[in-house]
């Protein structure tokens, strides 16, 4: 895989700062799909941090304060910006880890940038020029999810929009490609192709197993496929994995079918770390 330049997330002076590059040991972006409460986020962050400490995995906490792309109007959207961003800021302070959240509109970017380290561009919005420019102008690290409808090489144009602001703190994230109706497939050729841009590549093992709209009013999925896809991505080579986790995913407010059970995370990370050590020997 092409070596990318490194992206450092958080202040290097902080113990929780994370540096990601395609030729460095992979990091983990992990948290619930949707923020539920401060206590819930704190509980998950503690368990994720423990699993990451045990396996030597750099950790970034993620949580969405607003899920603006629900399958139906009845889908739960979240806590809103004021409560959700405050929770993320508190998790960063308490656990010393960088934090990530999604933005959906241009005016969200400056607001969210005051609280988080990484702004994430959802896959459905990855070609929205004004949103990409607004995100880039914050100077924050920008994680751009590849649209399910885009070829991997199309992400070079997407990244260039952010880079045009002078911000090269860019990560490109694969989350599967549309295959017929309500189905996604993962083409692992896309990871090295996106790495040719020079930016760190992330593999989203959670949303790659999603069945968009597959349950009628909500998306389905198969969390049992998260470990094999994550193993395949690590074998190809990535800078970071994106895996959502929950203590009771079957009753989570969103994306439950695709989230791994939090108690299974440490074992999965151990396997993935062993593979990464083979792919990227010190």
């Amino acid at each position: 895989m092409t070596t990318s330049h490194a992206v450092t997330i958080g202040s290097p002076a902080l113990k929780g700062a994370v540096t990601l590059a395609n030729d460095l040991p992979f990091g983990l972006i992990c948290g619930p799909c949707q923020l539920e409460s401060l206590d819930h986020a704190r509980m998950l962050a503690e368990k994720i941090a423990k699993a990451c400490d045990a396996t030597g995995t750099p950790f970034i906490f993620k949580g969405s304060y607003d899920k603006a792309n629900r399958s139906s109007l009845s889908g739960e959207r979240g806590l809103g910006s004021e409560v959700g961003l405050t929770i993320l800021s508190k998790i960063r302070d308490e656990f010393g880890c960088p934090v990530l959240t999604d933005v959906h509109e241009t005016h969200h970017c400056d607001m969210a940038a005051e609280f988080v380290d990484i702004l994430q561009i959802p896959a459905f919005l990855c070609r929205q020029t004004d949103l990409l420019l607004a995100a880039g102008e914050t100077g924050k690290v920008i994680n751009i999810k590849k649209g399910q409808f885009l070829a991997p090489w199309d992400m070079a144009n997407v990244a260039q929009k952010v880079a045009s602001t002078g911000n090269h703190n860019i990560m490109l994230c694969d989350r599967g490609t549309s295959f017929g109706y309500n189905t996604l497939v993962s083409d692992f050729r896309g990871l090295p192709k996106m790495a040719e841009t020079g930016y760190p590549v992330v593999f989203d093992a959670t949303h790659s197993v999603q069945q968009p709209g597959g349950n009628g009013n909500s998306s389905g999925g198969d969390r049992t496929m998260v470990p094999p896809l994550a193993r395949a991505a690590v074998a190809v080579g990535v800078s970071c994995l994106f895996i959502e986790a929950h203590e009771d995913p079957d009753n989570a407010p969103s994306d439950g079918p695709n989230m791994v059970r939090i108690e299974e995370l440490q074992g999965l990370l151990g396997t993935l770390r062993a593979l990464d050590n083979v792919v990227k020997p010190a």
Side-chain angles (χ1 to χ4, degrees):
M1 176 178 261
T2 304
T3 301
S4 74
H5 75 276
V7 170
T8 297
I9 306 151
S11 169
L14 297 176
K15 71 168 187 174
V18 172
T19 298
L20 299 177
N22 294 327
D23 58 346
L24 293 178
F26 74 83
L28 178 70
I29 297 170
C30 189
C33 177
Q34 185 180 128
L35 291 169
E36 299 176 35
S37 69
L38 175 57
D39 286 343
H40 185 257
R42 185 182 283 130
M43 178 273 294
L44 283 178
E46 183 175 358
K47 292 179 181 294
I48 296 166
K50 181 179 179 181
C52 288
D53 286 345
T55 56
T57 304
F59 165 44
I60 299 160
F61 184 83
K62 68 83 50 184
S64 298
Y65 63 85
D66 180 17
K67 303 300 294 185
N69 54 353
R70 298 296 81 200
S71 296
S72 71
L73 188 61
S74 63
E76 293 188 49
R77 290 188 54 166
L79 300 175
S81 58
E82 183 175 353
V83 174
L85 290 172
T86 299
I87 288 173
L88 289 168
S89 180
K90 288 182 177 180
I91 293 298
R92 177 172 60 183
D93 292 344
E94 291 180 23
F95 291 88
C97 62
V99 293
L100 171 154
T101 199
D102 314 83
V103 289
H104 298 90
E105 299 185 44
T106 55
H107 69 272
H108 293 172
C109 296
D110 284 339
M111 173 184 65
E114 295 184 19
F115 296 87
V116 305
D117 304 283
I118 305 175
L119 300 180
Q120 182 166 275
I121 306 298
F124 289 126
L125 301 177
C126 71
R127 289 184 57 170
Q128 295 297 105
T129 300
D130 290 344
L131 178 60
L132 292 164
L133 295 178
E137 287 167 358
T138 66
K140 293 290 182 176
V141 176
I142 312 300
N143 185 38
I144 313 171
K145 290 200 172 183
K146 181 184 79 66
Q148 304 91 322
F149 44 86
L150 286 184
W153 43 88
D154 292 333
M155 290 298 285
N157 290 329
V158 173
Q160 195 279 328
K161 293 180 181 181
V162 174
S164 73
T165 67
N167 184 353
H168 293 275
N169 296 314
I170 298 168
M171 297 153 59
L172 303 179
C173 181
D174 190 289
R175 55 141 301 159
T177 301
S178 294
F179 185 80
Y181 297 123
N182 304 126
T183 305
L184 299 172
V185 296
S186 293
D187 179 358
F188 289 101
R189 298 173 299 177
L191 302 178
K193 291 301 295 185
M194 288 200 298
E196 291 177 2
T197 63
Y199 297 114
V201 171
V202 182
F203 180 72
D204 180 348
T206 292
H207 294 94
S208 291
V209 306
Q210 189 183 66
Q211 296 165 343
N215 289 341
N217 289 333
S218 64
S219 291
D222 182 1
R223 73 175 66 91
T224 67
M225 289 293 104
V226 169
L229 291 188
R231 292 195 299 266
V234 169
V236 172
V238 289
S239 74
C240 193
L241 289 170
F242 182 110
I243 299 175
E244 291 179 342
H246 198 277
E247 81 287 358
D248 185 16
D250 290 332
N251 291 298
S254 61
D255 262 341
N258 314 301
M259 288 193 282
V260 301
R261 299 183 190 281
I262 189 64
E263 65 268 18
E264 298 173 359
L265 182 63
Q266 184 171 324
L268 174 58
L269 287 177
T271 299
L272 296 172
R273 181 59 61 209
L275 282 172
D276 199 52
N277 290 340
V278 173
V279 175
K280 305 172 192 170

